[in-house]
């Protein structure tokens, strides 16, 4: 073989190797505008077989997650090189401009079944199907990915809905209603009208301070994040990992940081589990400054149990919204408490939370029922 043929062959092999080693474009922060495709941000990498994280994107979980129609969630965080969040003991961390927080909602598929356009598995939504920091697309149905982006003007929320073949998610500012059927391990099924929130609904939940009237993250707080995570490189505490990665400044050792219970952990005190559940599912609205403060009911961790926490407190709402119950929480009588009544309802005119679910969280309601029934006190005195 002539010399030039050898050279041409070697050049071809070099180009082929270079093409195989070509890396994913880095995460792209858009300082303005409304990118129409999720892939425009390059936060998540979709190769048709799996959904994974781009370089410098960190996955995370919460001790007790917010309930959303039994959807599982892949949460991620990215910040520009050299930038870090400032630790705060009780509030959401102070994130720099350029931060991108993502939350992908997905469901496992019933065992041995492919996606048929509707049926998904009803399972513990706090469990993760992330393996090696990847989701196997043959085992899950992606529904939506919400971005919370920190720009110079403040946070902006952008909802993206995944297409039928799970190859791309498109910006859907007006929201969407996706019919699903939840199927449990015994074959029992329940219809779900899964709601992708519009931008205004995103803002209504993330406006955690009525005085400031600006969007803020809800989940990334020390008490929710102070837990271990199974990273691809090994299991470690999230606060420690964020600090080591340069994404968090000022955090104490995890043992000195606040930590909420895992509401599913039967070995934890019942009171701690119930308070954690109410804090993450209700406390961002029902707090002293939250959008539900006109109700006089505060369910966040900062509120001590008492009348403002609902004990023997008469509700502001009346009639259908209370089910003719007299108190938000009637100690020792969960069935007579407005709180449980609204948690168990799937009537849009009654249910709480008002957004983010169309079915009742049976396990969550049972937890609060058990907790209320153990409380003592007499509202008739």
């Amino acid at each position: 073989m002539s010399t030039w043929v050898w050279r041409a062959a070697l050049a071809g092999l070099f180009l082929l190797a270079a093409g195989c080693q070509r890396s994913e474009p880095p995460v792209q922060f858009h300082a303005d505008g409304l990118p129409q495709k999720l892939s425009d941000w390059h936060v998540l990498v979709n190769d048709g077989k799996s959904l994974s994280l781009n370089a410098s994107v960190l996955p995370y979980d919460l001790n007790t997650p917010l309930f959303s129609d039994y959807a599982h969630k892949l949460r991620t965080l990215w910040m520009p090189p050299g930038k870090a969040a400032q630790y705060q003991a009780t509030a959401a961390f102070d994130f720099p401009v350029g931060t991108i927080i993502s939350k992908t909602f997905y469901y496992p598929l019933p065992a041995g079944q492919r996606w048929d356009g509707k049926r998904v598995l009803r399972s513990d939504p706090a469990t993760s199907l992330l393996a090696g920091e990847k989701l196997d697309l043959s085992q899950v149905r992606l529904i939506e990915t919400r971005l919370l982006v920190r720009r110079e003007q403040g946070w902006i929320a952008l909802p993206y809905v995944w297409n039928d073949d799970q190859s791309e998610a498109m910006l859907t500012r007006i929201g969407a209603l996706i019919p699903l059927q939840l199927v449990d391990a015994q074959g029992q099924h329940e219809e779900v009208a899964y709601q992708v929130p519009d931008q205004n609904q995103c803002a209504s939940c993330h406006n955690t301070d009525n005085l400031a009237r600006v969007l803020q993250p809800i989940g990334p707080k020390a008490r929710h994040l102070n837990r271990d995570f199974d990273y691809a490189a090994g299991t470690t505490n999230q606060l420690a990992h964020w600090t080591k990665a340069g994404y968090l400044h000022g955090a104490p050792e995890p043992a000195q940081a606040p930590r909420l219970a895992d509401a599913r952990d039967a070995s934890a005190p019942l009171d701690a589990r119930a308070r954690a559940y109410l804090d993450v599912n209700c406390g961002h609205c029902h707090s002293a400054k939250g959008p539900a403060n006109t109700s006089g009911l505060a369910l966040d961790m900062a509120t001590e149990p008492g009348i403002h926490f609902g004990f023997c407190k008469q509700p502001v709402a009346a009639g259908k919204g209370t089910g003719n119950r007299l108190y938000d929480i009637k100690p020792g009588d969960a069935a007579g408490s407005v709180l449980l009544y609204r948690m168990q309802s799937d009537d849009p005119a009654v249910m709480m939370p008002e957004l983010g679910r169309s079915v009742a969280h049976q396990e969550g309601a049972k937890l609060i029922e058990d907790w209320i029934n153990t409380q003592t006190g007499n509202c008739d005195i």
Side-chain angles (χ1 to χ4, degrees):
M1 185 179 293
S2 64
T3 301
W4 72 267
V5 173
W6 274 109
R7 288 177 177 173
L10 288 172
L13 288 172
F14 175 79
L15 290 173
L16 179 61
C20 292
Q21 295 173 3
R22 188 167 51 225
S23 61
E24 181 74 14
V27 175
Q28 177 64 55
F29 168 67
H30 296 271
D32 51 33
L34 301 171
Q36 295 300 298
K37 298 183 297 182
L38 180 64
S39 61
D40 291 335
W41 298 87
H42 297 293
V43 170
L44 302 172
V45 179
N46 188 332
D47 64 4
K49 295 181 179 180
S50 64
L51 189 70
S52 58
L53 284 56
N54 206 347
S56 300
V57 177
L58 294 185
Y60 69 93
D61 263 334
L62 310 182
N63 282 312
T64 295
L66 177 73
F67 175 76
S68 308
D69 279 348
Y70 289 97
H72 298 237
K73 298 164 188 176
L74 166 59
R75 301 172 181 84
T76 75
L77 170 71
W78 179 86
M79 282 179 272
K83 300 290 186 179
Q86 185 61 41
Y87 176 86
Q88 300 188 98
T90 57
F93 297 157
D94 185 9
F95 292 95
V97 171
T99 299
I100 304 173
I101 297 173
S102 84
K103 183 161 61 172
T104 297
F105 295 70
Y106 68 93
Y107 289 91
L109 297 179
Q113 298 185 26
R114 295 185 176 182
W115 169 243
D116 63 1
K118 192 171 185 179
R119 290 163 62 89
V120 293
L121 184 66
R122 178 191 180 277
S123 59
D124 182 358
T127 59
S128 173
L129 274 69
L130 204 63
E133 299 187 11
K134 292 183 179 182
L135 283 177
D136 183 344
L137 294 180
S138 70
Q139 302 297 316
V140 303
R141 179 62 200 173
L142 304 177
I143 304 297
E144 59 162 324
T145 295
R146 302 177 194 173
L147 297 187
L148 200 59
V149 180
R150 179 67 167 88
R151 290 174 167 171
E152 286 284 356
Q153 300 81 9
W155 291 94
I156 181 173
L158 300 171
Y160 291 84
V161 176
W162 285 91
N163 59 15
D164 287 341
D165 63 5
Q166 303 192 115
S167 61
E168 182 63 89
M170 304 300 296
L171 182 64
T172 311
R173 298 175 65 196
I174 61 172
L177 200 62
I178 301 174
L180 298 172
Q181 187 179 82
L182 293 176
V183 182
D184 66 17
Q186 289 72 45
Q188 300 296 314
H189 58 81
E190 180 177 19
E191 302 300 317
V192 172
Y194 183 97
Q195 183 179 17
V196 177
D198 60 38
Q199 277 193 295
N200 289 333
Q201 290 169 326
C202 289
S204 69
C205 280
H206 283 274
N207 169 31
T208 58
D209 186 334
N210 263 351
L211 297 177
R213 303 295 297 176
V214 295
L215 274 68
Q216 292 288 343
I218 296 173
K221 300 172 183 173
R223 62 183 180 271
H224 300 316
L225 294 170
N226 191 2
R227 53 161 288 171
D228 288 347
F229 188 93
D230 294 329
Y231 298 97
T235 301
T236 189
N237 180 275
Q238 291 184 140
L239 296 181
H241 189 72
W242 285 25
T243 298
K244 184 177 180 181
Y247 271 13
L248 183 61
H249 287 170
E253 290 296 318
Q256 277 69 57
R259 179 176 184 173
L260 290 190
D262 178 348
R264 304 172 303 159
D265 182 5
S267 67
L270 178 61
D271 186 71
R273 295 167 59 206
R275 289 296 306 267
Y277 185 89
L278 293 172
D279 182 69
V280 76
N281 282 278
C282 315
H284 53 283
C285 283
H286 283 278
S287 67
K289 296 182 179 180
N293 64 352
T294 54
S295 70
L297 177 64
L299 297 170
D300 60 329
M301 289 302 295
T303 304
E304 293 295 327
I307 190 167
H308 292 297
F309 201 81
F311 285 78
C312 298
K313 175 190 168 301
Q314 294 185 337
V316 173
K320 188 175 183 179
T322 66
N324 295 318
R325 289 153 176 80
L326 297 179
Y327 305 105
D328 287 340
I329 297 177
K330 187 176 182 182
D333 184 7
S337 300
V338 177
L339 178 63
L340 182 65
Y341 169 68
R342 303 193 78 170
M343 286 182 63
Q344 291 177 326
S345 177
D346 59 7
D347 182 343
V350 174
M351 68 183 190
M352 282 289 174
E354 297 174 306
L355 298 173
R357 72 173 181 92
S358 63
V359 299
H361 186 195
Q362 298 173 19
E363 297 79 7
K366 182 63 168 61
L367 169 65
I368 300 306
E369 179 181 11
D370 291 345
W371 172 69
I372 293 176
N373 282 335
T374 64
Q375 304 305 302
T376 58
N378 188 347
C379 296
D380 299 326
I381 296 177

